[in-house]
Structures are given as C-alpha cells and as structure tokens.
C-alpha cells in the first residue's frame, strides 16, 4: 500500500493552510511532547485529528455499551502504526468522499480547530515565549474573527455567565452573553481572543477590563 497523498483541498483555504502548519508543528516535536490539551501528548492530538478526519464514528462509538469495545480496538489499531504514521495521516487529510474536501466546508469545520491545535503544540513546549509566536496571514485572522464570533466567544460568555465584549482593533467588537450579566471587555488580536475563549487563557496574550 502506498503512502497517503498529502491533502491540498479542492481550492486553497485557511483550513488547508492551517493543516500544513499543524503538521509542521507535530513533526517538530516527539510523540510524547506535551500539548495545551490537558492529559494529551502530541501523539494523542495527532490521533484525535486522524479520527476526526476519517473515523468520526469512533469519537462517539467508544462510549456506547454495544460498540465501545470494537471502537476502542479500532482506535488502538489506528495508533499502532506509531507517531510518524499518525502525522502522515494528518497530512493526508480526509478521504475524497468526505464533505470537508470542499473549501467552504473545510474552512467552516476546520479553520479554528487546526489553528488552535497548532498552537496547542507550539505553546506547550519548554521555552516558548508569546513574543516569538508565529505570524499568521491577514486572511486567516479575518476568518478566525468571523468564526470565533459565532462559536467560541458565545461559549466563553455562557461558561463564565458573563456578558463579554471581545474587541480587536481593525476587526471590530462583538458582545456575547446575557444582557443582565456582569460585563467585561477582552482586548486582543482575533487569534489571541480565540485562544482565551477556548480555555487557554494562561497561554493567550489579551488585556481584560472589568466593568
């Protein structure tokens, strides 16, 4: 059997660009390297992406009484090839019959996922400094702002039971949460606001103002 063909998407997309960045980050560390995902090594994160790409049924199946043992065995089989093979499968992307090979679907499903997980690898490594974080494209920054405003910003306000205004110079401001809840303002670039809102506050560069 030949090696998986690297995924390029039908058209260039922010998600496909971030997939490449994520693969580069995973290849820069060892399998047991830490990540910002609590309890997950780089190997665990790579396997998560493989499952999400090609076997999403296993994400649910392992928790079901009737199919759980088979799903867990399938996961072990996916992991048995080793770390390099898992990263190669991340690079290869989803099967050609999956909807995320289409640019609009890929961008909607995966831009934030891949950006966040790339940073999960990079920012967890010893010696990482926020002042040396990677540069991202303006296109990606706009896409992050657009998608996070509808997802992670909403979830962060709900989880904290706060009314939160997310403000990013050049991109705007959006307020999420109950009108009667205490107000706070979080300032930063779209990507740093997204990391903060997704539960990675200790590793995000933002400024917070309490009302």
């Amino acid at each position: 059997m030949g090696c998986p063909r690297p995924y390029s998407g039908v058209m260039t997309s922010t998600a496909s660009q971030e997939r490449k960045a994520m693969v580069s980050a995973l290849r820069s560390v060892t399998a047991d390297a830490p990540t910002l995902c609590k309890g997950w090594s780089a190997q665990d994160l790579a396997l998560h992406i493989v499952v999400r790409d090609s076997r999403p049924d296993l994400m649910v199946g392992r928790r079901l009484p009737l199919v759980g043992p088979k799903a867990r065995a399938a996961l072990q089989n996916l992991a048995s090839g080793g770390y390099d093979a898992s990263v190669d499968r991340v690079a290869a992307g989803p099967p050609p019959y999956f909807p995320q090979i289409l640019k609009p679907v890929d961008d909607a499903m995966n831009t934030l996922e891949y950006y966040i997980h790339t940073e999960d690898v990079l920012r967890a490594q010893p010696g990482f400094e926020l002042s040396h974080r990677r540069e991202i494209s303006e296109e990606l920054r706009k896409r992050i702002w657009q998608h996070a405003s509808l997802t992670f910003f909403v979830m962060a306000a709900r989880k904290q039971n706060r009314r939160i205004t997310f403000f990013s110079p050049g991109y705007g401001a959006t307020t999420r949460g109950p009108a009667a809840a205490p107000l706070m303002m979080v300032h930063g670039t779209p990507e740093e606001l997204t990391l903060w809102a997704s539960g990675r506050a200790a590793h995000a560069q933002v400024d917070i103002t309490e009302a």
Side-chain angles (χ1 to χ4, degrees):
M1 181 180 295
C3 295
R5 178 173 55 85
Y7 170 72
S8 60
V10 175
M11 298 172 61
T12 301
S13 71
T14 50
S16 65
Q17 292 167 4
E18 282 305 285
R19 180 186 290 275
K20 292 175 183 177
M22 180 171 56
V23 168
S24 177
L26 288 168
R27 285 179 172 156
S28 73
V29 300
T30 57
D32 60 353
T35 74
L36 298 186
C37 299
K38 187 176 181 180
W40 279 15
S41 65
Q43 168 69 58
D44 296 323
L45 195 152
L47 185 60
H48 164 72
I49 297 299
V50 170
V51 169
R52 192 173 182 274
D53 274 347
S54 58
R55 291 296 307 272
D57 57 301
L58 298 181
M59 299 175 74
V60 177
R62 59 185 168 176
R63 298 183 178 89
L64 300 178
L66 295 179
V67 298
K70 291 184 178 180
R72 287 190 289 272
L75 280 171
Q76 291 175 354
N77 184 57
L78 283 175
S80 65
Y83 181 61
D84 289 343
S86 293
V87 177
D88 286 344
R89 292 193 66 162
V90 173
Y97 48 83
F98 272 42
Q100 59 264 43
I101 68 164
L102 301 174
K103 177 181 179 293
V105 178
D106 192 26
D107 284 344
M109 286 182 60
N110 295 322
T111 295
L112 292 183
E113 176 87 4
Y114 296 163
Y115 171 76
I116 290 171
H117 284 326
T118 299
E119 298 304 313
D120 282 338
V121 176
L122 297 176
R123 300 191 186 205
Q125 303 317 307
F128 174 82
E129 296 181 6
L130 281 172
S131 59
H132 295 154
R133 64 190 183 277
R134 68 187 174 111
E135 294 291 331
I136 66 172
S137 69
E138 181 65 15
E139 180 186 14
L140 175 58
R141 192 166 276 134
K142 288 179 179 177
R143 186 65 52 78
I144 288 174
W145 175 258
Q146 176 188 13
H147 288 185
S149 295
L150 301 175
T151 55
F152 284 107
F153 295 174
V154 176
M155 290 186 287
R158 183 179 302 146
K159 183 177 181 180
Q160 297 189 36
N161 195 28
R162 299 289 300 267
R163 186 164 177 79
I164 304 176
T165 295
F166 296 88
F167 176 72
S168 187
Y171 300 91
T174 183
T175 301
R176 296 291 184 261
L183 178 66
M184 67 187 298
M185 295 187 67
V186 188
H187 304 248
T189 61
E191 66 272 23
E192 297 298 324
L193 291 173
T194 298
L195 290 172
W196 181 89
S198 65
R200 294 155 174 86
H203 303 275
Q205 189 171 53
V206 299
D207 294 315
I208 298 175
T209 303
E210 299 281 353

